[in-house]
Structures are given as structure tokens and as C-alpha cells.
Amino acid sequence: TADSLKNDTVKSVKKDPIDAPVYYECTDSMVWSRGGNAYLYGSGKVKYEKIELTANVISMNMDSSVVHATGRIDSTGVNTGLPIFKDGGTPYESDRMTYNFKSKKGFINNVYTQQGDGFIMGGKAKKDSTDVLYSQDGMYTTCDAEHPHFYIRLTRAKIRPKKDVVSGPLYLVVADVPLPLALPFGYFPFTESYSSGFIMPSYGDETERGFYLRDGGYYFAISDKFDLRLTGEI
């Protein structure tokens, strides 16, 4: 009857948005708010399965499985405790990061990571669930200076960690001066296997001839018994 149906109820079970425990800690303070939000201040750390995120300031929502991480400006005006993201051992540094533990997707602002003998930095990047990064307005260089003396500007790039970078239009920049050396696309392998790819030049300064780029070019892995290396200098 209508009366008996009215009294019969079925309790809905809310599923946990994530499938494994989330561990978190900080050295300063931890604040909880309504809506399942938590704020970690001072060397905050969040761990989920193989994923680890550290930053000076971390906010997370357990219902939506989303975390936001930033640094903090100290009394001297320096941004300290910048986010460092690790997924299976590959670290990514950034100014600001948003990550979803459930979908394993995230956004990284001003990314910095070492791949092989080179470094990828700058720009904005989107990480998908397969750990591939899609970067815009970044740069690739073998110079380990905080502000590289030379680099290749990558207008758009697809970065496969420990494998390769495939880029759209790119051009060479030396001492912050763009050179008239542009290519419609580029391929930079990170693997130790036998493969073709660009050879980054070495950068320096001579008293007689000035600044130079040496031994840059392209390596052709034609076969197991034959290869070709084309290099030049400017």
C-alpha cells in the first residue's frame, strides 16, 4: 500500500572518492573547514599510493579528491617551499599545482623537471592520467643554470617522462635573444636506446670571436651498423 511504501526506505551508501588511504602531515598547522577541506601549512606533505606532493601550503578536498599546492612568500620576498610532485620517482617542481588523485590529472604552472641530460622548464603544463605532460610556451635546455644561458623555446610540446619530447614550432634563444633559427617541429629522445634526435650545442664566449654555439645538430640512427651525425657551429 501507499502507507507501507512510504515507511520503507533504502539508505544510500556514499562511496569513498579515492581507493587508497591518503597520508598527510605538516610542521606548522593544520586547519579543517566545512565541506571536507583541509589546509596544511609549513612543509606540508600528501601521499597517495606512489604519488607524493610537498609544498609550503597545501589545500585539499577529500570529497572531490583535489589538492592545490603553492609556496609562501617569506619576509625577504622570496617564494619558498614551492610544490614538488613525484609520481613513481619522476619529480616535477612548479610555482603552483592542482592535482586530482582520482583522475590522476593535474595542472602545473611554471614546471621544472630533468629528463635525461636536459631540463624542461617554464610555461604551463597539463598532466594526463598516463603521466604525459602537454606543455605550452616552455623551454628545453642542457644548461643547468637557474636562468639558462641558452635554450630551445617550445611553443607547444608533448612530454613523455623518461622517453621523449615532441614539439611543435620551436626556435633557439641565446642570452635571452631569439635567433633566426626556427623549425616546424622537434624530437628529443631521453631513452638510452639507439634513436635519432637533436644534439644540443655547447655555449660559450671567446675574446676574439665572442659568443658561440658549438657541436649542435642532428643525430641519425640509421641502422645498428651505420649512423650519421651532422653538427655545426655559430
PDB file of all heavy atoms in Angstrom, residues 154-188:
ATOM      1  N   LEU A 154      59.934  26.038 -26.762  1.00  0.00           N
ATOM      2  CA  LEU A 154      58.938  25.087 -27.236  1.00  0.00           C
ATOM      3  C   LEU A 154      57.564  25.747 -27.159  1.00  0.00           C
ATOM      4  O   LEU A 154      57.029  25.931 -26.060  1.00  0.00           O
ATOM      5  CB  LEU A 154      58.954  23.818 -26.380  1.00  0.00           C
ATOM      6  CG  LEU A 154      60.313  23.141 -26.169  1.00  0.00           C
ATOM      7  CD1 LEU A 154      60.175  21.982 -25.196  1.00  0.00           C
ATOM      8  CD2 LEU A 154      60.891  22.666 -27.495  1.00  0.00           C
ATOM      9  N   THR A 155      57.014  26.130 -28.291  1.00  0.00           N
ATOM     10  CA  THR A 155      55.706  26.780 -28.261  1.00  0.00           C
ATOM     11  C   THR A 155      54.639  25.825 -27.740  1.00  0.00           C
ATOM     12  O   THR A 155      53.808  26.202 -26.923  1.00  0.00           O
ATOM     13  CB  THR A 155      55.320  27.283 -29.656  1.00  0.00           C
ATOM     14  OG1 THR A 155      55.374  26.178 -30.582  1.00  0.00           O
ATOM     15  CG2 THR A 155      56.298  28.355 -30.126  1.00  0.00           C
ATOM     16  N   ARG A 156      54.660  24.596 -28.206  1.00  0.00           N
ATOM     17  CA  ARG A 156      53.789  23.537 -27.703  1.00  0.00           C
ATOM     18  C   ARG A 156      54.566  22.228 -27.741  1.00  0.00           C
ATOM     19  O   ARG A 156      55.311  21.982 -28.682  1.00  0.00           O
ATOM     20  CB  ARG A 156      52.513  23.407 -28.534  1.00  0.00           C
ATOM     21  CG  ARG A 156      51.580  24.605 -28.436  1.00  0.00           C
ATOM     22  CD  ARG A 156      50.320  24.395 -29.259  1.00  0.00           C
ATOM     23  NE  ARG A 156      49.443  25.553 -29.184  1.00  0.00           N
ATOM     24  CZ  ARG A 156      48.529  25.754 -28.264  1.00  0.00           C
ATOM     25  NH1 ARG A 156      48.374  24.848 -27.304  1.00  0.00           N
ATOM     26  NH2 ARG A 156      47.766  26.822 -28.264  1.00  0.00           N
ATOM     27  N   ALA A 157      54.385  21.414 -26.704  1.00  0.00           N
ATOM     28  CA  ALA A 157      55.162  20.181 -26.642  1.00  0.00           C
ATOM     29  C   ALA A 157      54.398  19.089 -25.909  1.00  0.00           C
ATOM     30  O   ALA A 157      53.576  19.364 -25.021  1.00  0.00           O
ATOM     31  CB  ALA A 157      56.500  20.425 -25.945  1.00  0.00           C
ATOM     32  N   LYS A 158      54.686  17.852 -26.304  1.00  0.00           N
ATOM     33  CA  LYS A 158      54.177  16.666 -25.615  1.00  0.00           C
ATOM     34  C   LYS A 158      55.375  15.972 -24.987  1.00  0.00           C
ATOM     35  O   LYS A 158      56.318  15.583 -25.681  1.00  0.00           O
ATOM     36  CB  LYS A 158      53.473  15.730 -26.605  1.00  0.00           C
ATOM     37  CG  LYS A 158      52.964  14.439 -25.973  1.00  0.00           C
ATOM     38  CD  LYS A 158      52.286  13.559 -27.003  1.00  0.00           C
ATOM     39  CE  LYS A 158      51.796  12.256 -26.383  1.00  0.00           C
ATOM     40  NZ  LYS A 158      51.145  11.375 -27.387  1.00  0.00           N
ATOM     41  N   ILE A 159      55.350  15.827 -23.661  1.00  0.00           N
ATOM     42  CA  ILE A 159      56.482  15.305 -22.917  1.00  0.00           C
ATOM     43  C   ILE A 159      56.115  13.950 -22.327  1.00  0.00           C
ATOM     44  O   ILE A 159      55.176  13.847 -21.526  1.00  0.00           O
ATOM     45  CB  ILE A 159      56.891  16.267 -21.783  1.00  0.00           C
ATOM     46  CG1 ILE A 159      57.162  17.662 -22.358  1.00  0.00           C
ATOM     47  CG2 ILE A 159      58.105  15.738 -21.036  1.00  0.00           C
ATOM     48  CD1 ILE A 159      57.157  18.757 -21.321  1.00  0.00           C
ATOM     49  N   ARG A 160      56.838  12.923 -22.728  1.00  0.00           N
ATOM     50  CA  ARG A 160      56.670  11.594 -22.155  1.00  0.00           C
ATOM     51  C   ARG A 160      57.862  11.332 -21.254  1.00  0.00           C
ATOM     52  O   ARG A 160      58.981  11.133 -21.748  1.00  0.00           O
ATOM     53  CB  ARG A 160      56.553  10.529 -23.240  1.00  0.00           C
ATOM     54  CG  ARG A 160      55.354  10.722 -24.159  1.00  0.00           C
ATOM     55  CD  ARG A 160      55.102   9.506 -25.009  1.00  0.00           C
ATOM     56  NE  ARG A 160      56.259   9.154 -25.826  1.00  0.00           N
ATOM     57  CZ  ARG A 160      56.381   8.019 -26.510  1.00  0.00           C
ATOM     58  NH1 ARG A 160      55.411   7.114 -26.447  1.00  0.00           N
ATOM     59  NH2 ARG A 160      57.448   7.786 -27.249  1.00  0.00           N
ATOM     60  N   PRO A 161      57.684  11.373 -19.922  1.00  0.00           N
ATOM     61  CA  PRO A 161      58.816  11.242 -18.997  1.00  0.00           C
ATOM     62  C   PRO A 161      59.659  10.009 -19.270  1.00  0.00           C
ATOM     63  O   PRO A 161      59.145   8.919 -19.526  1.00  0.00           O
ATOM     64  CB  PRO A 161      58.138  11.161 -17.626  1.00  0.00           C
ATOM     65  CG  PRO A 161      56.844  11.881 -17.815  1.00  0.00           C
ATOM     66  CD  PRO A 161      56.410  11.566 -19.215  1.00  0.00           C
ATOM     67  N   LYS A 162      60.975  10.219 -19.261  1.00  0.00           N
ATOM     68  CA  LYS A 162      61.975   9.174 -19.484  1.00  0.00           C
ATOM     69  C   LYS A 162      61.916   8.579 -20.887  1.00  0.00           C
ATOM     70  O   LYS A 162      62.540   7.556 -21.144  1.00  0.00           O
ATOM     71  CB  LYS A 162      61.847   8.064 -18.438  1.00  0.00           C
ATOM     72  CG  LYS A 162      62.064   8.540 -17.005  1.00  0.00           C
ATOM     73  CD  LYS A 162      61.941   7.396 -16.026  1.00  0.00           C
ATOM     74  CE  LYS A 162      62.144   7.857 -14.599  1.00  0.00           C
ATOM     75  NZ  LYS A 162      62.029   6.751 -13.623  1.00  0.00           N
ATOM     76  N   LYS A 163      61.156   9.216 -21.789  1.00  0.00           N
ATOM     77  CA  LYS A 163      61.062   8.717 -23.162  1.00  0.00           C
ATOM     78  C   LYS A 163      61.468   9.785 -24.169  1.00  0.00           C
ATOM     79  O   LYS A 163      62.508   9.679 -24.795  1.00  0.00           O
ATOM     80  CB  LYS A 163      59.654   8.204 -23.443  1.00  0.00           C
ATOM     81  CG  LYS A 163      59.286   6.951 -22.665  1.00  0.00           C
ATOM     82  CD  LYS A 163      57.895   6.445 -23.032  1.00  0.00           C
ATOM     83  CE  LYS A 163      57.552   5.193 -22.267  1.00  0.00           C
ATOM     84  NZ  LYS A 163      56.200   4.680 -22.610  1.00  0.00           N
ATOM     85  N   ASP A 164      60.647  10.832 -24.340  1.00  0.00           N
ATOM     86  CA  ASP A 164      60.958  11.824 -25.356  1.00  0.00           C
ATOM     87  C   ASP A 164      60.088  13.061 -25.208  1.00  0.00           C
ATOM     88  O   ASP A 164      59.160  13.103 -24.396  1.00  0.00           O
ATOM     89  CB  ASP A 164      60.786  11.238 -26.762  1.00  0.00           C
ATOM     90  CG  ASP A 164      59.409  10.610 -26.958  1.00  0.00           C
ATOM     91  OD1 ASP A 164      58.415  11.167 -26.460  1.00  0.00           O
ATOM     92  OD2 ASP A 164      59.318   9.558 -27.617  1.00  0.00           O
ATOM     93  N   VAL A 165      60.435  14.074 -25.997  1.00  0.00           N
ATOM     94  CA  VAL A 165      59.638  15.285 -26.155  1.00  0.00           C
ATOM     95  C   VAL A 165      59.388  15.488 -27.637  1.00  0.00           C
ATOM     96  O   VAL A 165      60.317  15.435 -28.446  1.00  0.00           O
ATOM     97  CB  VAL A 165      60.350  16.524 -25.580  1.00  0.00           C
ATOM     98  CG1 VAL A 165      59.655  17.803 -26.036  1.00  0.00           C
ATOM     99  CG2 VAL A 165      60.356  16.491 -24.071  1.00  0.00           C
ATOM    100  N   VAL A 166      58.139  15.705 -27.991  1.00  0.00           N
ATOM    101  CA  VAL A 166      57.774  16.047 -29.363  1.00  0.00           C
ATOM    102  C   VAL A 166      57.186  17.448 -29.325  1.00  0.00           C
ATOM    103  O   VAL A 166      56.230  17.710 -28.589  1.00  0.00           O
ATOM    104  CB  VAL A 166      56.759  15.048 -29.942  1.00  0.00           C
ATOM    105  CG1 VAL A 166      56.389  15.451 -31.371  1.00  0.00           C
ATOM    106  CG2 VAL A 166      57.323  13.636 -29.925  1.00  0.00           C
ATOM    107  N   SER A 167      57.768  18.353 -30.109  1.00  0.00           N
ATOM    108  CA  SER A 167      57.379  19.759 -30.045  1.00  0.00           C
ATOM    109  C   SER A 167      56.869  20.254 -31.384  1.00  0.00           C
ATOM    110  O   SER A 167      57.270  19.765 -32.446  1.00  0.00           O
ATOM    111  CB  SER A 167      58.564  20.618 -29.597  1.00  0.00           C
ATOM    112  OG  SER A 167      58.256  21.990 -29.676  1.00  0.00           O
ATOM    113  N   GLY A 168      55.998  21.259 -31.304  1.00  0.00           N
ATOM    114  CA  GLY A 168      55.560  21.968 -32.495  1.00  0.00           C
ATOM    115  C   GLY A 168      56.607  22.992 -32.889  1.00  0.00           C
ATOM    116  O   GLY A 168      57.798  22.768 -32.687  1.00  0.00           O
ATOM    117  N   PRO A 169      56.232  24.130 -33.429  1.00  0.00           N
ATOM    118  CA  PRO A 169      57.236  25.139 -33.821  1.00  0.00           C
ATOM    119  C   PRO A 169      58.162  25.492 -32.659  1.00  0.00           C
ATOM    120  O   PRO A 169      57.721  25.695 -31.528  1.00  0.00           O
ATOM    121  CB  PRO A 169      56.372  26.337 -34.220  1.00  0.00           C
ATOM    122  CG  PRO A 169      55.064  25.734 -34.641  1.00  0.00           C
ATOM    123  CD  PRO A 169      54.867  24.553 -33.743  1.00  0.00           C
ATOM    124  N   LEU A 170      59.460  25.553 -32.940  1.00  0.00           N
ATOM    125  CA  LEU A 170      60.456  25.857 -31.915  1.00  0.00           C
ATOM    126  C   LEU A 170      61.549  26.727 -32.508  1.00  0.00           C
ATOM    127  O   LEU A 170      61.754  26.762 -33.716  1.00  0.00           O
ATOM    128  CB  LEU A 170      61.031  24.564 -31.335  1.00  0.00           C
ATOM    129  CG  LEU A 170      61.596  23.508 -32.305  1.00  0.00           C
ATOM    130  CD1 LEU A 170      63.042  23.781 -32.642  1.00  0.00           C
ATOM    131  CD2 LEU A 170      61.449  22.121 -31.716  1.00  0.00           C
ATOM    132  N   TYR A 171      62.256  27.446 -31.635  1.00  0.00           N
ATOM    133  CA  TYR A 171      63.359  28.286 -32.084  1.00  0.00           C
ATOM    134  C   TYR A 171      64.388  28.409 -30.975  1.00  0.00           C
ATOM    135  O   TYR A 171      64.105  28.172 -29.799  1.00  0.00           O
ATOM    136  CB  TYR A 171      62.862  29.674 -32.521  1.00  0.00           C
ATOM    137  CG  TYR A 171      62.054  30.416 -31.486  1.00  0.00           C
ATOM    138  CD1 TYR A 171      62.662  31.291 -30.593  1.00  0.00           C
ATOM    139  CD2 TYR A 171      60.677  30.259 -31.408  1.00  0.00           C
ATOM    140  CE1 TYR A 171      61.918  31.975 -29.646  1.00  0.00           C
ATOM    141  CE2 TYR A 171      59.927  30.943 -30.461  1.00  0.00           C
ATOM    142  CZ  TYR A 171      60.560  31.807 -29.589  1.00  0.00           C
ATOM    143  OH  TYR A 171      59.823  32.481 -28.649  1.00  0.00           O
ATOM    144  N   LEU A 172      65.613  28.764 -31.345  1.00  0.00           N
ATOM    145  CA  LEU A 172      66.742  28.821 -30.427  1.00  0.00           C
ATOM    146  C   LEU A 172      66.875  30.213 -29.831  1.00  0.00           C
ATOM    147  O   LEU A 172      66.737  31.227 -30.536  1.00  0.00           O
ATOM    148  CB  LEU A 172      68.027  28.433 -31.156  1.00  0.00           C
ATOM    149  CG  LEU A 172      69.300  28.332 -30.311  1.00  0.00           C
ATOM    150  CD1 LEU A 172      69.170  27.230 -29.267  1.00  0.00           C
ATOM    151  CD2 LEU A 172      70.507  28.049 -31.218  1.00  0.00           C
ATOM    152  N   VAL A 173      67.145  30.268 -28.518  1.00  0.00           N
ATOM    153  CA  VAL A 173      67.327  31.526 -27.806  1.00  0.00           C
ATOM    154  C   VAL A 173      68.667  31.471 -27.082  1.00  0.00           C
ATOM    155  O   VAL A 173      68.956  30.522 -26.360  1.00  0.00           O
ATOM    156  CB  VAL A 173      66.190  31.768 -26.789  1.00  0.00           C
ATOM    157  CG1 VAL A 173      66.416  33.078 -26.037  1.00  0.00           C
ATOM    158  CG2 VAL A 173      64.841  31.778 -27.486  1.00  0.00           C
ATOM    159  N   VAL A 174      69.503  32.486 -27.278  1.00  0.00           N
ATOM    160  CA  VAL A 174      70.802  32.587 -26.636  1.00  0.00           C
ATOM    161  C   VAL A 174      70.878  33.916 -25.905  1.00  0.00           C
ATOM    162  O   VAL A 174      70.634  34.973 -26.496  1.00  0.00           O
ATOM    163  CB  VAL A 174      71.955  32.474 -27.655  1.00  0.00           C
ATOM    164  CG1 VAL A 174      73.306  32.637 -26.955  1.00  0.00           C
ATOM    165  CG2 VAL A 174      71.893  31.144 -28.379  1.00  0.00           C
ATOM    166  N   ALA A 175      71.198  33.873 -24.608  1.00  0.00           N
ATOM    167  CA  ALA A 175      71.292  35.076 -23.783  1.00  0.00           C
ATOM    168  C   ALA A 175      70.014  35.911 -23.901  1.00  0.00           C
ATOM    169  O   ALA A 175      70.067  37.140 -24.019  1.00  0.00           O
ATOM    170  CB  ALA A 175      72.520  35.894 -24.153  1.00  0.00           C
ATOM    171  N   ASP A 176      68.884  35.230 -23.894  1.00  0.00           N
ATOM    172  CA  ASP A 176      67.555  35.851 -23.975  1.00  0.00           C
ATOM    173  C   ASP A 176      67.294  36.544 -25.306  1.00  0.00           C
ATOM    174  O   ASP A 176      66.357  37.341 -25.420  1.00  0.00           O
ATOM    175  CB  ASP A 176      67.347  36.851 -22.832  1.00  0.00           C
ATOM    176  CG  ASP A 176      67.291  36.162 -21.479  1.00  0.00           C
ATOM    177  OD1 ASP A 176      66.831  35.010 -21.418  1.00  0.00           O
ATOM    178  OD2 ASP A 176      67.706  36.778 -20.476  1.00  0.00           O
ATOM    179  N   VAL A 177      68.116  36.255 -26.309  1.00  0.00           N
ATOM    180  CA  VAL A 177      67.927  36.836 -27.636  1.00  0.00           C
ATOM    181  C   VAL A 177      67.499  35.734 -28.603  1.00  0.00           C
ATOM    182  O   VAL A 177      68.268  34.796 -28.857  1.00  0.00           O
ATOM    183  CB  VAL A 177      69.210  37.502 -28.151  1.00  0.00           C
ATOM    184  CG1 VAL A 177      68.998  38.069 -29.559  1.00  0.00           C
ATOM    185  CG2 VAL A 177      69.656  38.609 -27.207  1.00  0.00           C
ATOM    186  N   PRO A 178      66.291  35.774 -29.146  1.00  0.00           N
ATOM    187  CA  PRO A 178      65.856  34.756 -30.115  1.00  0.00           C
ATOM    188  C   PRO A 178      66.698  34.838 -31.391  1.00  0.00           C
ATOM    189  O   PRO A 178      66.888  35.913 -31.958  1.00  0.00           O
ATOM    190  CB  PRO A 178      64.393  35.121 -30.391  1.00  0.00           C
ATOM    191  CG  PRO A 178      63.979  36.000 -29.250  1.00  0.00           C
ATOM    192  CD  PRO A 178      65.213  36.732 -28.831  1.00  0.00           C
ATOM    193  N   LEU A 179      67.198  33.701 -31.835  1.00  0.00           N
ATOM    194  CA  LEU A 179      67.979  33.639 -33.062  1.00  0.00           C
ATOM    195  C   LEU A 179      67.070  33.240 -34.235  1.00  0.00           C
ATOM    196  O   LEU A 179      66.061  32.569 -34.037  1.00  0.00           O
ATOM    197  CB  LEU A 179      69.121  32.632 -32.920  1.00  0.00           C
ATOM    198  CG  LEU A 179      70.146  32.903 -31.817  1.00  0.00           C
ATOM    199  CD1 LEU A 179      71.249  31.856 -31.859  1.00  0.00           C
ATOM    200  CD2 LEU A 179      70.744  34.299 -31.941  1.00  0.00           C
ATOM    201  N   PRO A 180      67.446  33.643 -35.439  1.00  0.00           N
ATOM    202  CA  PRO A 180      66.623  33.284 -36.618  1.00  0.00           C
ATOM    203  C   PRO A 180      66.844  31.834 -37.037  1.00  0.00           C
ATOM    204  O   PRO A 180      67.124  31.534 -38.190  1.00  0.00           O
ATOM    205  CB  PRO A 180      67.124  34.260 -37.688  1.00  0.00           C
ATOM    206  CG  PRO A 180      68.535  34.536 -37.298  1.00  0.00           C
ATOM    207  CD  PRO A 180      68.572  34.533 -35.796  1.00  0.00           C
ATOM    208  N   LEU A 181      66.714  30.932 -36.066  1.00  0.00           N
ATOM    209  CA  LEU A 181      66.857  29.502 -36.318  1.00  0.00           C
ATOM    210  C   LEU A 181      65.592  28.821 -35.803  1.00  0.00           C
ATOM    211  O   LEU A 181      65.461  28.530 -34.623  1.00  0.00           O
ATOM    212  CB  LEU A 181      68.095  28.942 -35.607  1.00  0.00           C
ATOM    213  CG  LEU A 181      69.449  29.512 -36.034  1.00  0.00           C
ATOM    214  CD1 LEU A 181      70.553  28.968 -35.134  1.00  0.00           C
ATOM    215  CD2 LEU A 181      69.743  29.159 -37.486  1.00  0.00           C
ATOM    216  N   ALA A 182      64.643  28.592 -36.679  1.00  0.00           N
ATOM    217  CA  ALA A 182      63.355  28.021 -36.293  1.00  0.00           C
ATOM    218  C   ALA A 182      63.101  26.736 -37.061  1.00  0.00           C
ATOM    219  O   ALA A 182      63.578  26.556 -38.192  1.00  0.00           O
ATOM    220  CB  ALA A 182      62.232  29.020 -36.553  1.00  0.00           C
ATOM    221  N   LEU A 183      62.367  25.843 -36.429  1.00  0.00           N
ATOM    222  CA  LEU A 183      61.991  24.574 -37.050  1.00  0.00           C
ATOM    223  C   LEU A 183      60.496  24.353 -36.836  1.00  0.00           C
ATOM    224  O   LEU A 183      59.937  24.752 -35.807  1.00  0.00           O
ATOM    225  CB  LEU A 183      62.778  23.414 -36.437  1.00  0.00           C
ATOM    226  CG  LEU A 183      64.289  23.387 -36.703  1.00  0.00           C
ATOM    227  CD1 LEU A 183      64.940  22.282 -35.887  1.00  0.00           C
ATOM    228  CD2 LEU A 183      64.562  23.173 -38.190  1.00  0.00           C
ATOM    229  N   PRO A 184      59.840  23.706 -37.802  1.00  0.00           N
ATOM    230  CA  PRO A 184      58.392  23.471 -37.641  1.00  0.00           C
ATOM    231  C   PRO A 184      58.071  22.452 -36.558  1.00  0.00           C
ATOM    232  O   PRO A 184      56.983  22.464 -36.002  1.00  0.00           O
ATOM    233  CB  PRO A 184      57.967  22.979 -39.022  1.00  0.00           C
ATOM    234  CG  PRO A 184      59.213  22.405 -39.624  1.00  0.00           C
ATOM    235  CD  PRO A 184      60.341  23.252 -39.110  1.00  0.00           C
ATOM    236  N   PHE A 185      59.019  21.535 -36.267  1.00  0.00           N
ATOM    237  CA  PHE A 185      58.795  20.549 -35.211  1.00  0.00           C
ATOM    238  C   PHE A 185      60.141  20.053 -34.708  1.00  0.00           C
ATOM    239  O   PHE A 185      61.189  20.280 -35.343  1.00  0.00           O
ATOM    240  CB  PHE A 185      57.962  19.363 -35.716  1.00  0.00           C
ATOM    241  CG  PHE A 185      58.704  18.470 -36.678  1.00  0.00           C
ATOM    242  CD1 PHE A 185      59.389  17.356 -36.238  1.00  0.00           C
ATOM    243  CD2 PHE A 185      58.718  18.750 -38.043  1.00  0.00           C
ATOM    244  CE1 PHE A 185      60.078  16.537 -37.124  1.00  0.00           C
ATOM    245  CE2 PHE A 185      59.403  17.940 -38.936  1.00  0.00           C
ATOM    246  CZ  PHE A 185      60.082  16.836 -38.474  1.00  0.00           C
ATOM    247  N   GLY A 186      60.137  19.388 -33.558  1.00  0.00           N
ATOM    248  CA  GLY A 186      61.364  18.836 -32.998  1.00  0.00           C
ATOM    249  C   GLY A 186      61.084  17.560 -32.226  1.00  0.00           C
ATOM    250  O   GLY A 186      59.973  17.336 -31.740  1.00  0.00           O
ATOM    251  N   TYR A 187      62.113  16.719 -32.115  1.00  0.00           N
ATOM    252  CA  TYR A 187      62.009  15.459 -31.379  1.00  0.00           C
ATOM    253  C   TYR A 187      63.269  15.291 -30.547  1.00  0.00           C
ATOM    254  O   TYR A 187      64.381  15.335 -31.071  1.00  0.00           O
ATOM    255  CB  TYR A 187      61.848  14.286 -32.347  1.00  0.00           C
ATOM    256  CG  TYR A 187      61.922  12.930 -31.665  1.00  0.00           C
ATOM    257  CD1 TYR A 187      60.905  12.500 -30.831  1.00  0.00           C
ATOM    258  CD2 TYR A 187      63.019  12.098 -31.867  1.00  0.00           C
ATOM    259  CE1 TYR A 187      60.959  11.267 -30.203  1.00  0.00           C
ATOM    260  CE2 TYR A 187      63.090  10.856 -31.253  1.00  0.00           C
ATOM    261  CZ  TYR A 187      62.061  10.448 -30.423  1.00  0.00           C
ATOM    262  OH  TYR A 187      62.136   9.238 -29.808  1.00  0.00           O
ATOM    263  N   PHE A 188      63.105  15.122 -29.221  1.00  0.00           N
ATOM    264  CA  PHE A 188      64.229  14.989 -28.308  1.00  0.00           C
ATOM    265  C   PHE A 188      64.043  13.704 -27.502  1.00  0.00           C
ATOM    266  O   PHE A 188      63.195  13.645 -26.609  1.00  0.00           O
ATOM    267  CB  PHE A 188      64.310  16.183 -27.356  1.00  0.00           C
ATOM    268  CG  PHE A 188      64.367  17.512 -28.059  1.00  0.00           C
ATOM    269  CD1 PHE A 188      63.202  18.203 -28.338  1.00  0.00           C
ATOM    270  CD2 PHE A 188      65.567  18.068 -28.446  1.00  0.00           C
ATOM    271  CE1 PHE A 188      63.238  19.430 -28.979  1.00  0.00           C
ATOM    272  CE2 PHE A 188      65.619  19.289 -29.096  1.00  0.00           C
ATOM    273  CZ  PHE A 188      64.449  19.965 -29.358  1.00  0.00           C
TER     274      PHE A 188
END
